[in-house]
Amino acid sequence: MRLRSYMQDYHHSRKRFNQRILCFQIFSFALLFLLFLRLLDLQWLQHEGLLLQAEQNRVNVVPMLATRGELVDRHGVGLAVNHVSYHVYIIPERIPEMEKTLARLADLLGWDERQFAQVKHRLKRARRDRPVLVEDKLPWLRVAPLAARLHHLAGVDVKAGTRRFYPYAQTASHLIGYLSMANAEDVNKGMLPIEKAGRSGLEKTFESRLHGQLGMQQEEVDALGRRVGVLKRTPPVMGEQIQISLDIDLQKAASRALAGRTGAVVVMDVHTGEVLVLLSQPGIDTNHFISGLEMEQWQYWLHDPKRPLLNRAIQAAFPPASTFKLLTSLAALRYGMPLTRKKTDCKGFLELADRNLRCWRRKGHGRVNMHRAIVESCDVYFYKLGDQLGMSRLQAEAKRWGFGQPTGIELSPEVRGTMPTQARSPSGHTRKWFRGETMITAIGQGAVSVTPMQMARFAAAIANGGKLLRPQLEAGQPAQIMREIDVSPKHLDIIRKAMRDVVASGRGTAHARLSRLPWKVAGKTGTAQVVAMAQDNDKKEAKKKPKHLQDHAWFMGYAPFENPRIAFAVFVEHGGHGGSAAAPVAAAIVRAMAKREAS
Amino acid sequence: MILETIRRMDKVLLLCLLCLAGIGIATLYAALHQGDIGLWQRQNLYWLLGIIIMFGLCFVPLRILALACWPMFLFALLCLVLVPLIGDTQMGAQRWLNLGLFNIQPSELMKWALVLILAQWFASREANSLKNLLPPALMMILPTLLIIKQPDLGTALVLLLAGGVMLMAAGLRWRWFGLGVMVALVSMPLLWLNMHAYQKQRILSFLDPQSDPLGSGYHVIQSAIAIGSGGLFGKGYLQGTQNRLHFLPEQHTDFIFAVLAEEGGLIVSLILFVLYGVLLFQLLSIAERASTRFSSLLCLGITTIFALYMCINIGMVSGLLPVVGVPLPFISYGGSALITLLAALGIAMRVGIESHDRIPWQRPGSPFA
């Protein structure tokens, strides 16, 4: 009985034990199966996504910047070129201890407090997985200590690259323009934040051609960001080299002749419209933009009363003054005004209602015809001619010759100037139009304003027989004729001869400065009043006027007279008289041009 | 006698172990071949040492082992108490005790000591009365608290679970089991409040690894990427990018499974699972046919610890469980873990060997106990 109970107990206990082991067995195999399901999930269902993540982990796509195309002038002289320099990048997420690394960099590169703060600020805004440019344009000597220790600094990289250099920064700053780091808009268009984009001038105009194509290098990196190998390489494609129409020697000659005065010079090929000179002074040293523009410098330029950032050749319009008399003459000839065939009397002023309109020559020109009125720039003759013509005809003619509209030059922004209409004043108000206003417009004063570029094109059109050309900035391009102006060759001849006599005749307003030149020049002076001539204002007082109230000087024309090649417009802001201030600049250009042709 | 013992060894288990040794050594080489290859060489020495110990233990009668239960448990407990007083601090946790010649991890020792002492206790008792349950409960809870204090949550968890399984096998009523679970659930918030910040962070990042992908979630994300990117057939031996380029954390210790899964794919993972499964099955069948209640419980305890290591490690590496420091049996680098596992396997084999002896299964309180 005891034995039986013992055996029962034994069996009972053993049975329960084995049951529990079975439970445990089932439970642990169920767990194993669960783990296997998880593996199926990861390795089969999620495989593709996780493989992609693994690839992203190890593959670091490093952009390789394309070398920007160079800009050379029509004779191959470099205007925007590339110099070798070194850049330092860091990839924030690959840097284990940012503070330490930055301190080390500061030590090796010799940063001061401010540079250090700038770098920190840049890093704060940057993405953590992209290279951030911390220092660029380093010469080899400065980067060498860092390059030697690079393998100790995970996440820091030095690359050889190029930096833009403008050898003629001061003389051609407005035309060439400058670069700056890609902004948010560029990045949206697919540019990388470390790339640079043209911001103004030709750098901006030809951006797409100069920029080149970004290369990519797929690198294998380890968890610390160290490069282990290169997987794939797409080399960058260098941007196009562009030969522009500018002649830098002419430009320099023009700049020298302006001699520090404020103004603009445009020289154009009369047949092709190629722009040989596009000068605006004062210029700025655009190399500052490349080495990182200081805020003070920018503020200085921005607030300089001489406004160096303004491209006066296309972005500013000024009263054309007497140069506009050519247009008034052309209009009068076209509409057959009686006065074109007659003479009139200049007493030095013209009485009109309650006031007198004055001629620049107080004692008057005596009896003048059109030819003499142009040569000696008689105001009274043109007051009368303008009065006969009326505003609408004058305005129609101005429009024909391209005033009050953009020239279509591939530089932006370009202003169109103003050509007032009888119906509406420039400010847009409808008001009563006075007779005197038409007369003032006829001598290029009052509300009318033109850009030096428009003026040069006007001169070119007179020289080439009425073809209004689009200014070309690239060398060797065929002429683009925007409009064939319907003008009688006979009328043009009258104008041309008068322009020639402005220079050639002893009484011409520009005779003194331009008579002894290798090429025969035809032109027209202009002296634009900044403040209205007071009745009792005489020349001596004019000399004493403060600089900013002095007259603007114009000289426009073309050369050589018989077989025109170039047309030019010279504008000197507050320069004084057109004949004495602006004409010598044209003379210098013609001399330089003739010298180049001779050699 | 010796020949008889060799003849009675579990050949399936040995074959299984041989395969696991091959996979383990190869995987460890893959994990270390670009780093400290010296560690791999040292692990091979551990294998050698461990296998010698294993075979040695096959010849030690279990009776003798039973004598070592109490001394071993008390020694392990003493070490655990000493750890906070004179222990070395590694990675912010006091786990190691320097014994002059070598360092030991008392918590590691305690696991096996607990298995032994529980097997011994329940060899002659049923887990059905408070009198029989209170001492083993103390034996479990005291070391667990000490280990939690270190802090080493993983080992504490293994300790509790292994003890629980042995209690169940020893005949614990289901209602008692339910009570234990209840107590555990109630004590969870208390545990949470007493956890270190990094432990809380681990659990939080387990719940949502993407919340801090570069911080505490990094391990989990990177190992999931490694496993998943391996796909069905793997990237090829020594070709795993996550492994080779050091994106995997702890690639030669706790996260070595990710290396295996990345380079070998689902196929090799499955082979490993099958090997583990066979090992588990063999060990449990040994426990089932063991001749004495003591040896049966002992073998079950050993099996439980092995199964827990395996499940917790793979669960953690594949992102199913929070990150706790538990090695993958036979694969992870680590001398003490490997040698103790092999020693435990030797004891289990001894249980199998003795099961053929005609000593009757002892009921609790029998004269044979």
Side-chain angles (χ1 to χ4, degrees), chain B residues 77-111:
Chain B
L77 200 62
L78 181 72
C79 289
L80 269 183
V81 173
L82 283 179
V83 162
L85 304 175
I86 57 165
D88 282 355
T89 303
Q90 280 187 7
M91 302 204 289
Q94 276 188 324
R95 294 178 187 173
W96 296 83
L97 205 57
N98 193 339
L99 290 185
L101 270 177
F102 51 91
N103 294 335
I104 61 162
Q105 216 175 333
S107 55
E108 187 73 21
L109 195 63
M110 181 46 95
K111 266 181 286 199

Side-chain angles (χ1 to χ4, degrees), chain B residues 4-276:
Chain B
E4 178 67 9
T5 307
I6 293 172
R7 200 182 59 75
R8 286 183 179 185
M9 280 180 188
D10 192 326
K11 302 298 180 311
V12 178
L13 200 128
L14 279 177
L15 188 71
C16 217
L17 186 66
L18 191 73
C19 294
L20 280 171
I23 291 181
I25 289 169
T27 310
L28 192 69
Y29 179 77
L32 287 170
H33 79 286
Q34 284 192 334
D36 191 355
I37 202 73
L39 291 181
W40 180 70
Q41 287 159 351
R42 202 184 301 171
Q43 181 80 351
N44 291 346
L45 275 181
Y46 290 147
W47 266 107
L48 209 63
L49 196 66
I51 285 179
I52 290 169
I53 291 173
M54 180 184 83
F55 280 120
L57 283 169
C58 284
F59 295 94
V60 177
L62 292 169
R63 282 174 287 122
I64 295 170
L65 205 66
L67 294 177
C69 289
W70 275 103
M72 196 168 156
F73 180 74
L74 291 176
F75 176 69
L77 200 62
L78 181 72
C79 289
L80 269 183
V81 173
L82 283 179
V83 162
L85 304 175
I86 57 165
D88 282 355
T89 303
Q90 280 187 7
M91 302 204 289
Q94 276 188 324
R95 294 178 187 173
W96 296 83
L97 205 57
N98 193 339
L99 290 185
L101 270 177
F102 51 91
N103 294 335
I104 61 162
Q105 216 175 333
S107 55
E108 187 73 21
L109 195 63
M110 181 46 95
K111 266 181 286 199
W112 306 105
L114 186 74
V115 167
L116 270 172
I117 197 83
L118 286 180
Q120 165 87 336
W121 181 268
F122 288 114
S124 52
R125 292 174 186 85
E126 277 284 349
N128 55 4
S129 69
L130 204 60
K131 190 186 72 173
N132 285 351
L133 273 175
L134 210 56
L138 276 178
M139 287 175 206
M140 278 165 62
I141 289 164
L142 199 64
T144 304
L145 287 178
L146 283 168
I147 291 170
I148 286 178
K149 206 70 200 156
Q150 283 186 353
D152 185 354
L153 277 185
T155 309
L157 192 72
V158 170
L159 210 66
L160 274 183
L161 288 173
V165 169
M166 289 183 75
L167 283 177
M168 288 300 295
L172 188 73
R173 295 283 182 271
W174 285 108
R175 54 174 172 274
W176 285 97
F177 174 74
L179 191 71
V181 171
M182 291 279 277
V183 169
L185 283 177
V186 168
S187 65
M188 281 242 276
L190 271 171
L191 193 65
W192 177 260
L193 287 176
N194 282 306
M195 267 199 256
H196 287 247
Y198 86 96
Q199 291 171 319
K200 288 182 185 172
Q201 191 58 52
R202 271 186 187 175
I203 291 175
L204 286 178
S205 72
F206 157 69
L207 295 174
D208 182 16
Q210 299 296 342
S211 67
D212 186 11
L214 289 173
S216 45
Y218 181 80
H219 290 189
V220 182
I221 293 173
Q222 291 301 337
S223 79
I225 290 174
I227 296 171
S229 65
L232 296 181
F233 303 103
K235 292 179 184 169
Y237 189 53
L238 306 185
Q239 302 296 313
T241 56
Q242 290 285 102
N243 166 35
R244 200 157 49 79
L245 303 169
H246 312 293
F247 286 103
L248 275 177
E250 305 286 329
Q251 53 188 341
H252 63 288
T253 56
D254 293 351
F255 281 82
I256 198 163
F257 179 73
V259 175
L260 180 124
E262 185 189 17
E263 300 194 344
L266 191 62
I267 296 291
V268 176
S269 312
L270 191 61
I271 291 172
L272 186 77
F273 273 43
V274 168
L275 287 172
Y276 278 151

